[in-house]
Amino acid sequence: MLDGVVTNLSDVQKDLQKLLPADAILCGQSLNCDLHVLRMIHPYVIDTSIIFNESGIRSRKISLKNLVRIHLKEIIQNSEGGHNPVEDSIAAMKLVQLKLQNNLQFGDAYLKDYFEKNESTSNNKSNQPLSSTIKTVNNETGATKTVSSSKMKDGFFDKLAQFSKKCCLIGNETSLGHYDDNMLNDKIEKKVKSSREKILKNSLKQIENNNLIISHLNYNLTSEQSSVSELNSVVGQLYDSCDDRTVFMVLISGVDEKNYTDIKSSLCMTVLKNSE
């Protein structure tokens, strides 16, 4: 079948880059497999194997053929020649359009069950706000600020507190200022540092004492020539200091630290550290 074909992987990658604009949204079934084979990453993806879930078990995916049968009342992949990529692509796009015409829970048994349970729990809870105390430490001046706030316990940081997990936020005043005190609780500590060197040093120090470290290093990868190599070195130091079985994440946000609403492009890399 491939006799005489001279196109290689690099050629395919270049053709795709010419075909797709940077802000294109890829739609398909289990696109992680395709992107892995292509050795490419793309920030905007709608995957039908994720937005639809019939089992109620998040890790269990359903085939495109069955999704089409259930939701579109159509039959695909029924020819003796195997899958037709055009047929699969059209079917996936129809499913995405159907999802967008409905709501987040449509076709997702897991999310439907999740929202029903939370709605039931919320109805049984008092609507009275809970008191929370947040401690912010400016390590440059030694000043400590304690703030009391009223809030409902339903945020990400509250989930950490429910499991008695400690979290430390490290960065300069501008970065940490984006964390509204109403988001936080008494398990969260802010440490204000004025430079990347001090942020890195304190991050390495806090790893042993916290379950979660969020460090804002604020590199401008487009204007600072040495930023990429320096960031690579910093990431290596942080990764090497983590224990085995640590979930290590690097997020390049694609925003200016003073304007978090102007998102240009972003990249998230996550790895589970294993023992060598």
Side-chain angles (χ1 to χ4, degrees):
M1 181 183 295
L2 296 179
D3 288 346
V5 175
V6 295
T7 304
N8 57 33
L9 178 60
S10 178
D11 295 327
V12 175
Q13 292 171 338
K14 291 177 181 177
D15 287 343
L16 284 174
Q17 289 171 338
K18 292 177 182 178
L19 178 65
L20 297 173
D23 59 351
I25 301 175
L26 296 182
C27 300
Q29 173 84 1
S30 296
L31 286 171
N32 58 302
C33 299
D34 302 274
L35 291 171
H36 179 73
V37 171
L38 288 167
R39 297 183 182 179
M40 298 180 72
I41 58 175
H42 189 75
Y44 309 115
V45 172
I46 301 179
D47 196 320
T48 50
S49 71
I50 295 176
I51 63 174
F52 287 93
N53 183 290
E54 299 298 324
S55 67
I57 302 173
R58 180 53 76 202
S59 60
R60 184 176 297 172
K61 295 184 178 181
I62 186 172
S63 68
L64 179 64
K65 182 176 183 177
N66 284 328
L67 282 177
V68 170
R69 176 180 57 81
I70 294 170
H71 294 287
L72 300 178
K73 310 302 181 186
E74 297 178 8
I75 297 176
I76 63 170
Q77 302 175 359
N78 203 36
S79 65
E80 295 182 358
H83 290 207
N84 182 326
V86 175
E87 181 184 53
D88 288 355
S89 299
I90 293 173
M93 184 59 72
K94 286 182 178 180
L95 286 169
V96 170
Q97 291 174 333
L98 180 63
K99 180 81 171 187
L100 294 174
Q101 290 167 5
N102 288 275
N103 55 48
L104 186 64
Q105 300 176 44
F106 177 81
D108 194 325
Y110 178 89
L111 276 185
K112 185 177 180 181
D113 181 62
Y114 174 83
F115 281 113
E116 286 178 351
K117 286 181 178 178
N118 275 270
E119 183 178 359
S120 175
T121 302
S122 297
N123 290 335
N124 294 329
K125 286 184 177 180
S126 169
N127 289 325
Q128 294 298 319
L130 300 174
S131 178
S132 178
T133 302
I134 305 97
K135 180 173 67 173
T136 302
V137 181
N138 188 323
N139 292 86
E140 306 301 321
T141 64
T144 300
K145 180 177 72 172
T146 301
V147 179
S148 294
S149 62
S150 295
K151 56 192 285 297
M152 294 300 293
K153 297 181 72 63
D154 58 0
F156 169 75
F157 293 111
D158 289 307
K159 294 298 182 184
L160 291 177
Q162 287 177 23
F163 292 94
S164 300
K165 303 298 183 181
K166 294 177 62 179
C167 173
C168 186
L169 307 174
I170 308 171
N172 60 31
E173 288 192 22
T174 301
S175 295
L176 298 189
H178 290 286
Y179 292 91
D180 189 291
D181 286 336
N182 289 328
M183 297 167 55
L184 308 180
N185 55 60
D186 57 359
K187 295 291 184 181
I188 312 300
E189 186 174 19
K190 288 183 181 180
K191 290 189 175 291
V192 179
K193 296 293 181 178
S194 59
S195 67
R196 289 198 292 253
E197 291 77 15
K198 292 179 180 179
I199 293 171
L200 172 61
K201 183 177 180 180
N202 198 256
S203 298
L204 294 170
K205 180 180 178 181
Q206 294 298 325
I207 286 176
E208 294 183 1
N209 304 319
N210 289 272
N211 302 104
L212 174 66
I213 303 289
I214 301 178
S215 300
H216 292 265
L217 291 164
N218 299 316
Y219 283 90
N220 189 331
L221 300 180
T222 59
S223 63
E224 299 179 34
Q225 296 295 324
S226 61
S227 290
V228 175
S229 58
E230 183 182 333
L231 177 60
N232 187 57
S233 174
V234 168
V235 169
Q237 291 181 62
L238 290 169
Y239 180 81
D240 291 341
S241 299
C242 293
D243 294 332
D244 293 336
R245 300 180 66 188
T246 294
V247 177
F248 188 84
M249 179 182 294
V250 177
L251 175 63
I252 300 175
S253 62
V255 297
D256 185 278
E257 67 168 334
K258 296 181 180 179
N259 180 14
Y260 273 31
T261 62
D262 184 19
I263 301 176
K264 299 183 183 302
S265 59
S266 58
L267 176 65
C268 179
M269 297 170 282
T270 306
V271 64
L272 175 63
K273 184 175 181 180
N274 294 317
S275 57
E276 299 296 338

